[in-house]
Amino acid sequence: MPSVSLWKGNKIGISEQAFTLEPKNAGKKMGSAIRYFELNTGAKMPSVGLGTYRSDTHLVGDVLTSAVKMGYRHIDCAQMYGNEKEIGDALKKLSNDGIVKREDLWITSKLWCTDHKPEDVPKAFDITLQDLQLDYLDLYLMHWPVSMQKGSVVSDPENFTTPNIPSTWKAMEALYDSGKARAIGVSNFSAKKLGDLLEVSRIPPVVNQVELHPQWQQVELHNFCKSKGIHLTEWNDLVFQFCDFQTQHRVVLVATCDDDDDDVVAGICTIGKDKGP
C-alpha cells in the first residue's frame, strides 16, 4: 500500500494524531508505524520529517526533543533557518541521555545561496556540522538553484548573481566522496533544471525537495523525478493552507489509504514545517 504521512503543528504544540499512516494505526505513536523510502544510493529515509523552518531558537530544542520521543527520526534543517546550533544542543542531549542513537536518525541540511562558490561549499558544510555537533549528514541539499552575493541577508534582486550549478554541484560531489555527506540532493529544482544538472553530474541527486500539496501537485515534476530515480520530497504540510485540522486529518486518510488512487502524493516524503508551540 502506498503511503505518505503528515506533520501537524499548531498553537498548542505537536499533535500525536498527525502520525496516522493508515486507519488501523490511528492513535499509535509514529515509532510503531514508521515507514521508509529507499533512495538511489540504497539508503532508507524515514517517510515523514520534522521541519525546522521558522522554529524559534528558544523553542526548537524542546520541540525537537518531544518529536524524537514521540517517534520522529527524520529532522530537516538548513543553515539559513538560523537555529542549527540549538538543534545541535538538543541532538547531543538526546544522545547523551540514551534516548536515540545517531545512527537511528536521518539528518538533512542545506547549502544556502550565498555559499555556491566551490571554495565556499565545504566551509558552509563544516559550519553546519559544527553547529549540529555531528560527524556527518545523511543528506545535504542545494537549497535553491540560484546564487547570491556573499553576506547577502535578504533576497533583493540586486543581491542575485549568475549561478554556476555544475561547479557548485561538483563541490557537493566532493563532500559525498569524503563520506561526510552520505547523500546529496537539491531543493526547489524544476524538471528543466534537474535535467540540466543530470547531464553534467557525476553523482546524480538522490532527492529533490519542493513545495507540493493538493493545490500544487506538480505532476510533471513528479513524473520526471520518478523516471530518473530521484525521490521527491514535499516541504509543506499536504493541505494545511486551506483546511482546518479536522478536514486535514480526513484528507490525509484518503490520500494514504486508497489502493486504487493514483494521487501524486503516493510515495512522497513529507517535511512539515514546525513553528513551535
Side-chain angles (χ1 to χ4, degrees):
M1 176 183 295
S3 66
V4 296
S5 51
L6 174 67
W7 175 88
K8 170 65 182 176
N10 54 31
K11 295 295 183 180
I12 61 172
I14 298 174
S15 170
E16 196 167 329
Q17 290 176 312
F19 301 140
T20 303
L21 300 182
E22 301 174 23
K24 65 182 180 180
N25 290 325
K28 294 184 179 181
K29 291 185 177 181
M30 179 183 168
S32 63
I34 196 166
R35 299 289 187 271
Y36 298 88
F37 293 114
E38 186 168 326
L39 305 180
N40 60 29
T41 61
K44 292 183 177 180
M45 180 175 68
S47 62
V48 60
L50 178 73
T52 58
Y53 178 51
R54 291 184 177 175
S55 295
D56 190 294
T57 55
H58 297 95
L59 299 174
V60 66
D62 290 339
V63 172
L64 174 59
T65 299
S66 296
V68 170
K69 288 179 178 179
M70 292 171 68
Y72 271 102
R73 293 297 180 264
H74 182 170
I75 312 299
D76 184 82
C77 312
Q79 190 177 65
M80 188 274 286
Y81 298 166
N83 53 19
E84 288 193 327
K85 288 184 178 180
E86 290 75 17
I87 292 171
D89 288 341
L91 290 174
K92 184 176 182 179
K93 189 174 189 306
L94 285 165
S95 177
N96 289 344
D97 291 347
I99 294 173
V100 67
K101 297 178 180 178
R102 170 63 184 97
E103 57 266 29
D104 294 330
L105 292 173
W106 180 280
I107 309 295
T108 298
S109 190
K110 308 177 190 72
L111 175 76
W112 186 233
C113 306
T114 56
D115 296 310
H116 272 216
K117 290 183 179 180
E119 62 269 25
D120 290 334
V121 173
K123 296 176 184 177
F125 181 84
D126 287 341
I127 290 173
T128 281
L129 279 188
Q130 181 179 345
D131 287 347
L132 292 175
Q133 302 181 53
L134 300 175
D135 296 324
Y136 68 91
L137 289 179
D138 297 278
L139 178 62
Y140 196 50
L141 305 178
M142 192 185 305
H143 208 149
W144 287 90
V146 296
S147 59
M148 297 169 58
Q149 294 178 14
K150 194 71 175 174
S152 298
V153 177
V154 294
S155 301
D156 293 332
E158 60 267 22
N159 290 331
F160 286 92
T161 59
T162 302
N164 188 336
I165 301 301
S167 66
T168 303
W169 186 252
K170 186 175 181 180
M172 292 186 65
E173 289 177 327
L175 293 176
Y176 176 80
D177 291 336
S178 74
K180 293 193 295 184
R182 297 194 172 181
I184 53 176
V186 297
S187 180
N188 302 301
F189 270 55
S190 65
K192 172 64 167 60
K193 290 189 180 296
L194 263 181
D196 292 343
L197 177 58
L198 288 172
E199 289 182 1
V200 299
S201 62
R202 174 172 59 87
I203 301 170
V206 299
V207 161
N208 183 21
Q209 187 182 121
V210 300
E211 181 179 1
L212 188 78
H213 45 75
Q215 286 184 314
W216 193 19
Q217 296 188 15
Q218 302 216 61
V219 176
E220 179 183 352
L221 178 60
H222 178 254
N223 290 336
F224 180 82
C225 288
K226 186 176 181 180
S227 72
K228 300 299 182 180
I230 299 171
H231 185 82
L232 194 64
T233 297
E234 65 95 11
W235 54 249
N236 218 342
D237 288 346
L238 290 176
V239 287
F240 88 100
Q241 295 186 28
F242 60 96
C243 292
D244 60 24
F245 173 75
Q246 294 298 326
T247 304
Q248 206 173 65
H249 192 60
R250 288 196 296 271
V251 171
V252 171
L253 292 181
V254 171
T256 59
C257 300
D258 186 351
D259 285 330
D260 298 323
D261 186 12
D262 291 327
D263 194 298
V264 68
V265 301
I268 297 173
C269 179
T270 299
I271 305 294
K273 292 305 169 189
D274 158 49
K275 295 182 177 62

